[in-house]
Amino acid sequence: MLNNMTDCEEGEGGPNSQGDGNPKESSPFINSSTASDAEKSQQYDGKHMALFEEEMDTSPMVSSLLSSLANYSNLPQGSKEHEEAENNEEGARPSKKPVKAPQLGTLMGVYLPCIQNIFGVILFLRMTWMVGIGGVLGSFIIVFMCCSTTMLTAISMSAIATNGVVPAGGSYYMISRSLGPEFGGAVGICFYLGTTFAGAMYILGSIELLLMYIAPAAAIFKFEGLEGPEAEAALLNNMRVYGTVVLFLMATLVFVGVKYVNKLALVFLACVILSIIAVYAGVIKTAMEPPVFPVCILGNRTLASKGYDVCAKVIEKDNGTVTTKMWRAFCDSEFLNATCDEYFVNNNVSEIPGIPGVTSGILAENLFGYYLEKGDILEKRGYASVADPEAPITKAKSYVLADITSFFTLLVGIYFPSVTGIMAGSNRSGDLRDAQRSIPIGTIAAITTTSTVYMSAVVLFGACIEGVVLRDKFGEGVNGNLVIGTLAWPSPWVIVIGSFFSTCGAGLQSLTGAPRLLQAISRDGIIPFLRVFGHGKANGEPTWALVLTACICEIGIIIASLDAVAPILSMFFLMCYMFVNLACALQTLLRTPNWRPRFKFYHWALSFLGMSLCLSLMFICSWYYAIVAMGIAGCIYKYIEFCGAEKEWGDGIRGISLSAARFALMRLEEGPPHTKNWRPQILVLVSVDGEQNVEQPRLLSLTNQLKAGKGLTIVGTSVVGTFLNNYADAQKADQSLRKLMETEKVKGFSQVVISSNLRDGTSHLIQVGGLGGLKHNSVLVCWPRNWKQPEDNQRFRNFVEVVRETTAASLALLVPKNIAAYPSNGERFTEGHIDVWWIVHDGGMLMLLPFLLRQHKVWRKCKMRIFTVAQMDDNSIQMKKDLITFLYHLRIDAVVEVVEMHDSDISAYTYEKTLVMEERSQILKQMHLTKNEKEREIQSITDSSRGSIRRKNPSNLRSQRSTEEGAGAIIVEKPEEESVAVSRPKQVQLIHNKNASTTPTSPTSPTTPAGGALSPGSETQMTWTDEPADKGKNQAAANPENVKDLFSMKPNQSNVRRMHTALRLNEVITKKSKEAKLVLLNMPGAPKNRGGDENYMEFLEVLTEGLNRVLLVRGGGREVITIYS
């Protein structure tokens, strides 16, 4: 049923797991079937599976699942497939050749490739020099540290590699799937650079073997007769020229066909093994018959072989004394009476065996280190020397000199590349018959073998070879022979030729593996600018990646010094190994359910120790290279994070995030945040249309400007319906929210609830938004547009309920009005003001919000102004001083202004507007009546109003009938128009009682007695006459019926006071802040009686009338800003 899943992936990554942008790996499990519906139905017929027919599309039968698992393969387009593709190019095939099952076992698939990659150029060119400089003990410590690091890394790698199928990409695959795309990409690039520089190091090693030991005459830049910097420059230039040529030839060979590289691999491996065997055979031979490699010593200084033919100053020839070549090198003539070098005259010449043998006891002399400065002469320990310590060294070219300054950490950096290559087995996991068994056994066995060889080599080199020969890097004192070659049996050429071919083979392997690693990273799509390197030839060969690899490798060739390139690749490999250990430790400590390695001999402490060793070795090798390598990895990490890696690989970093989030949430439960830590955690309530698109996108723009990416943001909406029927709509709305949040760069979470009505849905969002201590403390909701229209009647009622619920929950409330006029994130205000009208204390929200807004580039150039209102009995001058001091302590820059609002009469316009508002409310309450009932109700209101006015003005009724008809009538239009026009008679005058208080009241002030009745003398007296107030009162008292009509005509006095406050404040705000870019002011609370919702909305409408952008703010009942540090 699912057997078609065994197609190969392309390149290192494959299209399923890496190349097509799908974050899921190719899998033989659910929903992977390619069988037709008819085939599926047949599979269930006659198999007693009718009960599961409904699930046959999503749940395969166990029999077919097991079959697909048994045949599951995720092979990379490796070298074998590449060879098959090349062979298939010769002729068209009618059908695709089936991919052969992998047949490589532990020996050929893991052990020998690891051996070939671990044994390399350092063993043959620098191992003896390291023992001579660092001593047997120091070198043994270096080898033990490096081998322990790779062994611990191999244990961690084995655990990861056996925790499921590792289809392609080797170490990159393991790290990226364990630590996530950010770490995976960063470490993958480091591993790629390490492999590339390793190719450069192997090429330089092969050129050094060629020019120094095989064919010195082939040098283009002759260094014969040169000394000091000139000789060094000539050698480096030769390395650069020949290295570039060899790099070009190798890259061409890799481009032409990888199959040739693979066929040569066994030859190169045989060269390595034969060379090592020759070394051990030579050690055994020294015990019986040490080879003759004499070293000439002048005093205690080692002489270069090219400076003498006989190790003597003079020789006896034909019964006479004849000077030698050495004499001529130190004296100004060949005669015995010539003037010679002082040191040459004062010291004798002696000859010592270069290889005294394993039984000679030289080990004791080579036990400790002998570090040299650049230009120092190699000296024999224990030999007497007569020299003036202050006299300069002359005839330096006749001695063997140290070419570089040596120290312990340098040796570590140079040696470590010789233990790399442990990933060779895991890189070939797709070619292995049983990768989960072969990788641990083969890798650990290879490391054990190579570590044994290295440690024994340190001891044997120290026990067999003279110290001055060990410290002679290029064998200048032993006739230019390769030092390790002098120990080999039967001939030094075995080592020279063997090491030359092995280094060439290692360079080819690096140039073959590095492009494929880069191709795997590119096809993963996590680093956008590298995607071009995922392409190649039709057979999958990474052509562009090979070109880039060759260019980077050329950088190492230009450096030209093997000792300088080695620490560079040490950094990259150490970083890779460090993250392998981290991945294993992380997975073990997190105890993720999917962490079930078949390899059981691991522990998080071992992985942590390996990680610590890797980090320590990085800084031991070269602290500045370590910083550069970590900087490169950090930049790549941040780049991947910035570009937004869309991959989800179930990595350990996500597990850490979950654990850290749980820990942090538990800590947040301990108590509310301190005022200093308070920031608006906003729940943004948006509405969606029928297509589930957000209706107020600018609301998220404002959110971004308020938050600047900090703190918690939840964008929530409600979908009307039931969960079963409308779940798809909810998912669509959630995607719409996420898309808009990404567009507006709002970092937060989206939340969609399904409810029977919008009111309950909004309430649910306010109640359950957030988790634990990470909950919203502020609600941002848009002002209801067209709330006066009958069809939007329920919308404004929902809005008022949100005001009530946020007050009850002690949440701050932000209500932007005219949200469409707010700036987008791309706009900039080059000037203007943000005006804050601080009327009542709200915990400091009005101070904090403009400060946060001005952190955003949209509002950054706006100045902040703070207005506060002074009453009749307030000292406005002192208020201004106090406010300036307060802002100074808050560290907020703002212009302060105190606005004086004196007591004034309530205008007729206020009375009229209140009356219109209340009668409009009466009409809205009748909207549910039938048409006839509505008309009767409106007519009764009109008649009642007219009758009241007539009874109030009997004297003017006859004389000014026309005026009364035109001015006193209350014209009520049809309910559909939703506007009630009340004309103002010219003679109407509002008389204010001196005992009444007209100070604007708080929204929570107690209302008047039921029905709005007034107690004479204690409330504002109102009448529609020019007569004095006392007379009006007497008339009212004399006629009880008139009193009843008067009260029925007059609006609720609490509403009048509120309307008066709204009008006065609006008048002042409009005057001062008409041109402001944004006005923030306190938002009054909603009435406790739901019957006054329409009046409340009217009050807010009047308060903000004539202002372009208004942000109404209601505090949450706690202090949010403090003057203390």
Side-chain angles (χ1 to χ4, degrees):
M1 178 178 174
L2 297 175
N3 294 343
N4 294 330
M5 288 298 297
T6 57
D7 290 344
C8 290
E9 297 180 3
E10 294 182 6
E12 288 289 327
N16 292 333
S17 66
Q18 299 164 346
D20 60 352
N22 185 357
K24 296 182 180 179
E25 308 300 326
S26 58
S27 168
F29 296 95
I30 295 175
N31 289 331
S32 298
S33 176
T34 58
S36 64
D37 293 340
E39 292 172 348
K40 291 178 184 177
S41 61
Q42 291 175 4
Q43 290 169 351
Y44 284 86
D45 292 343
K47 296 184 180 180
H48 310 290
M49 291 293 170
L51 187 61
F52 300 96
E53 286 179 352
E54 297 288 338
E55 302 174 10
M56 55 187 287
D57 287 334
T58 58
S59 303
M61 289 191 300
V62 172
S63 58
S64 61
L65 174 66
L66 295 177
S67 174
S68 61
L69 282 174
N71 294 284
Y72 178 61
S73 174
N74 205 358
L75 293 178
Q77 177 87 9
S79 57
K80 289 192 172 183
E81 289 75 14
H82 171 75
E83 291 178 21
E84 292 173 1
E86 283 192 340
N87 293 332
N88 290 341
E89 288 177 358
E90 298 174 0
R93 303 296 177 90
S95 60
K96 183 179 179 181
K97 183 179 178 180
V99 178
K100 296 179 181 179
Q103 297 295 328
L104 292 180
T106 303
L107 181 66
M108 295 299 297
V110 181
Y111 180 76
L112 291 180
C114 284
I115 290 287
Q116 181 184 2
N117 279 268
I118 294 173
F119 285 137
V121 65
I122 301 297
L123 172 64
F124 302 113
L125 292 181
R126 295 291 183 268
M127 192 75 171
T128 53
W129 175 77
M130 185 186 77
V131 175
I133 295 293
V136 173
L137 288 179
S139 301
F140 193 87
I141 291 173
I142 292 173
V143 172
F144 182 78
M145 277 197 310
C146 295
C147 293
S148 299
T149 301
T150 53
M151 180 61 78
L152 293 172
T153 304
I155 292 172
S156 300
M157 183 193 71
S158 299
I160 298 173
T162 58
N163 187 50
V165 179
V166 180
S171 59
Y172 161 70
Y173 183 94
M174 290 187 292
I175 295 171
S176 62
R177 270 56 177 181
S178 298
L179 295 179
E182 293 88 358
F183 276 108
V187 179
I189 291 296
C190 287
F191 190 53
Y192 163 74
L193 292 174
T195 307
T196 304
F197 275 102
M201 183 188 72
Y202 290 129
I203 292 174
L204 291 174
S206 64
I207 301 302
E208 183 177 314
L209 284 165
L210 177 68
L211 295 180
M212 300 295 293
Y213 307 111
I214 299 177
I220 298 175
F221 301 91
K222 302 297 182 181
F223 46 85
E224 291 289 340
L226 300 178
E227 59 179 294
E230 294 178 354
E232 183 180 354
L235 177 60
L236 294 181
N237 288 331
N238 281 312
M239 302 281 277
R240 292 184 182 107
V241 173
Y242 276 97
T244 303
V245 173
V246 172
L247 173 62
F248 177 77
L249 294 175
M250 286 186 175
T252 304
L253 180 60
V254 172
F255 175 77
V256 169
V258 179
K259 61 181 180 180
Y260 303 114
V261 177
N262 292 322
K263 288 177 180 178
L264 292 172
L266 290 177
V267 177
F268 297 144
L269 177 62
C271 291
V272 174
I273 294 175
L274 286 175
S275 299
I276 294 173
I277 292 175
V279 171
Y280 278 100
V283 170
I284 296 173
K285 176 111 176 6
T286 62
M288 300 176 288
E289 184 182 354
V292 179
F293 280 101
V295 179
C296 193
I297 303 293
L298 176 62
N300 64 352
R301 298 177 179 178
T302 307
L303 295 175
S305 300
K306 63 183 179 181
Y308 64 91
D309 50 1
V310 179
C311 187
K313 295 180 181 180
V314 293
I315 57 173
E316 296 295 330
K317 184 177 181 182
D318 298 332
N319 297 324
T321 303
V322 181
T323 58
T324 63
K325 183 179 179 181
M326 182 186 302
W327 179 280
R328 294 190 290 273
F330 285 93
C331 300
D332 57 1
S333 71
E334 61 182 11
F335 301 106
L336 293 175
N337 60 354
T339 303
C340 298
D341 179 70
E342 182 181 356
Y343 187 85
F344 179 75
V345 172
N346 296 333
N347 292 275
N348 294 324
V349 177
S350 59
E351 190 176 64
I352 61 173
I355 301 179
V358 71
T359 59
S360 63
I362 196 68
L363 178 64
E365 184 181 320
N366 294 329
L367 207 55
F368 300 102
Y370 198 103
Y371 298 100
L372 300 170
E373 295 286 334
K374 182 177 181 179
D376 285 355
I377 299 174
L378 271 61
E379 297 178 349
K380 164 74 175 165
R381 282 176 175 170
Y383 269 46
S385 174
V386 179
D388 183 0
E390 298 189 2
I393 297 176
T394 56
K395 306 294 182 181
K397 66 179 182 180
S398 298
Y399 302 111
V400 179
L401 305 176
D403 65 324
I404 60 172
T405 300
S406 54
F407 41 89
F408 180 81
T409 57
L410 174 71
L411 301 183
V412 176
I414 292 176
Y415 172 74
F416 187 81
S418 64
V419 297
T420 60
I422 63 174
M423 302 288 186
S426 63
N427 290 343
R428 301 187 179 197
S429 56
D431 298 328
L432 300 175
R433 187 185 305 113
D434 185 0
Q436 296 192 8
R437 178 178 178 273
S438 297
I439 289 177
I441 296 175
T443 304
I444 292 175
I447 293 175
T448 302
T449 302
T450 54
S451 299
T452 303
V453 170
Y454 282 137
M455 291 180 185
S456 62
V458 168
V459 176
L460 293 176
F461 289 163
C464 294
I465 305 176
E466 172 60 46
V468 292
V469 178
L470 287 173
R471 291 186 285 278
D472 187 359
K473 183 185 291 185
F474 301 111
E476 296 176 65
V478 285
N479 297 319
N481 282 299
L482 181 63
V483 174
I484 193 175
T486 61
L487 186 63
W489 181 86
S491 169
W493 286 101
V494 175
I495 293 288
V496 172
I497 301 300
S499 59
F500 176 75
F501 281 111
S502 67
T503 51
C504 289
L508 281 172
Q509 292 290 341
S510 297
L511 290 178
T512 303
R516 282 171 170 72
L517 180 59
L518 179 62
Q519 188 181 47
I521 300 171
S522 303
R523 288 185 171 179
D524 257 349
I526 57 175
I527 304 179
F529 71 86
L530 290 181
R531 286 176 182 167
V532 65
F533 299 106
H535 306 294
K537 293 195 293 188
N539 56 16
E541 186 65 18
T543 307
W544 292 108
L546 177 61
V547 172
L548 180 65
T549 301
C551 293
I552 297 175
C553 193
E554 178 63 21
I555 297 174
I557 299 295
I558 292 173
I559 295 174
S561 172
L562 184 69
D563 300 323
V565 173
I568 296 176
L569 63 101
S570 294
M571 292 302 109
F572 293 123
F573 278 120
L574 280 167
M575 183 169 290
C576 177
Y577 296 165
M578 179 178 69
F579 280 102
V580 169
N581 285 294
L582 174 62
C584 181
L586 198 62
Q587 298 278 25
T588 306
L589 290 174
L590 289 176
R591 299 178 183 177
T592 52
N594 191 54
W595 180 245
R596 302 184 300 274
R598 288 187 178 277
F599 181 77
K600 301 299 182 183
F601 305 100
Y602 70 93
H603 192 270
W604 68 266
L606 294 177
S607 300
F608 187 79
L609 178 60
M611 183 182 68
S612 303
L613 272 174
C614 289
L615 186 62
S616 302
L617 285 175
M618 285 178 66
F619 284 92
I620 288 174
C621 292
S622 175
W623 63 268
Y624 44 90
Y625 279 159
I627 292 175
V628 171
M630 296 177 74
I632 293 173
C635 291
I636 297 171
Y637 179 94
K638 296 304 293 183
Y639 175 76
I640 298 173
E641 187 180 53
F642 174 77
C643 291
E646 298 177 357
K647 303 291 181 182
E648 173 51 61
W649 290 322
D651 51 87
I653 295 298
R654 188 172 180 85
I656 284 186
S657 301
L658 291 172
S659 298
R662 179 183 61 83
F663 176 77
L665 286 173
M666 297 299 292
R667 288 289 304 271
L668 288 176
E669 285 288 314
E670 296 176 2
H674 191 273
T675 302
K676 290 185 290 185
N677 296 326
W678 195 95
R679 65 171 68 246
Q681 317 281 14
I682 299 179
L683 169 63
V684 185
L685 297 177
V686 298
S687 57
V688 293
D689 56 20
E691 297 297 324
Q692 310 304 328
N693 295 320
V694 178
E695 293 181 337
Q696 311 97 2
R698 285 293 171 88
L699 207 57
L700 292 188
S701 300
L702 177 62
T703 304
N704 174 271
Q705 294 158 23
L706 274 172
K707 300 292 293 179
K710 307 297 183 184
L712 172 70
T713 301
I714 303 174
V715 182
T717 190
S718 178
V719 174
V720 177
T722 62
F723 186 80
L724 293 179
N725 297 333
N726 299 90
Y727 181 71
D729 292 338
Q731 291 293 97
K732 186 176 179 182
D734 186 67
Q735 291 297 323
S736 178
L737 291 182
R738 289 176 183 270
K739 185 177 180 180
L740 183 60
M741 290 171 68
E742 182 178 354
T743 302
E744 297 294 341
K745 298 180 180 179
V746 174
K747 296 182 180 179
F749 309 97
S750 60
Q751 191 167 4
V752 180
V753 297
I754 304 175
S755 180
S756 58
N757 57 75
L758 290 176
R759 170 84 290 278
D760 290 344
T762 305
S763 179
H764 296 159
L765 285 171
I766 294 175
Q767 293 179 59
V768 303
L771 178 64
L774 193 64
K775 294 180 68 69
H776 55 273
N777 53 30
S778 307
V779 176
L780 178 63
V781 63
C782 197
W783 175 264
R785 295 179 302 164
N786 304 324
W787 64 272
K788 295 183 180 181
Q789 299 298 328
E791 58 270 16
D792 291 327
N793 185 36
Q794 189 58 40
R795 180 175 291 186
F796 86 78
R797 296 189 183 279
N798 291 345
F799 170 78
V800 179
E801 286 301 309
V802 169
V803 178
R804 290 194 178 99
E805 289 177 353
T806 53
T807 303
S810 298
L811 300 175
L813 179 64
L814 312 178
V815 182
K817 194 164 181 278
N818 302 329
I819 187 63
Y822 277 67
S824 65
N825 291 328
E827 297 180 38
R828 304 285 188 276
F829 287 133
T830 56
E831 58 181 359
H833 296 92
I834 299 177
D835 287 356
V836 177
W837 284 85
W838 193 20
I839 301 169
V840 296
H841 184 54
D842 57 354
M845 279 289 288
L846 283 173
M847 305 292 179
L848 186 61
L849 291 178
F851 170 78
L852 295 176
L853 280 174
R854 292 183 65 223
Q855 306 305 305
H856 197 275
K857 53 191 174 184
V858 173
W859 305 92
R860 188 165 295 156
K861 295 187 178 180
C862 291
K863 304 298 182 182
M864 184 174 167
R865 297 190 300 188
I866 297 181
F867 298 89
T868 189
V869 177
Q871 302 300 328
M872 193 65 184
D873 54 349
D874 292 330
N875 184 341
S876 59
I877 297 177
Q878 187 61 38
M879 281 181 64
K880 185 173 182 178
K881 290 181 179 179
D882 293 342
L883 183 53
I884 291 173
T885 304
F886 180 57
L887 291 177
Y888 175 78
H889 288 307
L890 289 177
R891 290 89 65 201
I892 292 178
D893 296 325
V895 178
V896 174
E897 186 172 343
V898 177
V899 178
E900 296 183 354
M901 291 185 62
H902 302 294
D903 288 349
S904 61
D905 293 341
I906 299 178
S907 66
Y909 178 68
T910 302
Y911 179 85
E912 172 192 336
K913 201 164 184 67
T914 308
L915 184 62
V916 171
M917 176 188 70
E918 292 192 352
E919 293 199 349
R920 179 185 175 282
S921 299
Q922 267 189 311
I923 294 174
L924 289 176
K925 291 176 183 176
Q926 308 302 321
M927 295 303 292
H928 64 281
L929 302 176
T930 64
K931 183 177 181 180
N932 293 334
E933 290 174 325
K934 291 178 184 176
E935 292 176 353
R936 286 198 297 271
E937 184 68 21
I938 294 171
Q939 187 63 40
S940 65
I941 296 173
T942 306
D943 294 343
S944 175
S945 300
R946 287 177 176 172
S948 299
I949 294 175
R950 289 192 184 98
R951 283 189 292 272
K952 286 170 58 181
N953 300 279
S955 60
N956 294 336
L957 183 60
R958 291 184 299 273
S959 62
Q960 298 179 352
R961 187 177 184 87
S962 60
T963 302
E964 178 194 326
E965 290 292 335
I970 300 175
I971 303 168
V972 183
E973 297 181 8
K974 294 181 181 181
E976 288 81 358
E977 299 294 330
E978 285 214 21
S979 60
V980 182
V982 180
S983 59
R984 288 180 287 179
K986 294 180 180 179
Q987 72 274 22
V988 172
Q989 180 183 4
L990 188 66
I991 301 173
H992 176 251
N993 188 289
K994 293 181 180 179
N995 295 327
S997 174
T998 60
T999 301
T1001 57
S1002 167
T1004 56
S1005 301
T1007 60
T1008 56
L1014 302 176
S1015 53
S1018 63
E1019 293 290 345
T1020 302
Q1021 302 297 320
M1022 300 178 187
T1023 181
W1024 292 89
T1025 179
D1026 294 326
E1027 296 175 351
D1030 292 340
K1031 186 175 180 180
K1033 282 193 288 184
N1034 294 337
Q1035 287 182 351
N1039 191 347
E1041 185 180 0
N1042 287 351
V1043 172
K1044 180 179 180 182
D1045 292 337
L1046 178 64
F1047 286 166
S1048 67
M1049 179 60 199
K1050 294 166 68 175
N1052 185 292
Q1053 296 307 301
S1054 175
N1055 288 341
V1056 173
R1057 292 196 308 273
R1058 290 169 185 256
M1059 183 62 74
H1060 177 68
T1061 302
L1063 283 169
R1064 287 299 313 279
L1065 281 175
N1066 178 258
E1067 178 184 347
V1068 175
I1069 295 172
T1070 305
K1071 180 180 178 182
K1072 297 284 187 180
S1073 303
K1074 181 71 174 179
E1075 302 300 326
K1077 300 300 182 184
L1078 180 64
V1079 177
L1080 292 87
L1081 69 153
N1082 293 109
M1083 180 179 183
K1088 296 180 180 179
N1089 180 12
R1090 284 179 172 78
D1093 289 356
E1094 299 92 339
N1095 299 345
Y1096 175 69
M1097 294 297 294
E1098 189 68 40
F1099 292 143
L1100 296 181
E1101 191 74 62
V1102 171
L1103 180 63
T1104 58
E1105 188 175 2
L1107 300 173
N1108 186 24
R1109 300 184 192 93
V1110 184
L1111 184 60
L1112 296 170
V1113 180
R1114 185 162 176 78
R1118 61 159 295 171
E1119 294 293 330
V1120 300
I1121 194 168
T1122 178
I1123 65 174
Y1124 300 105
S1125 60

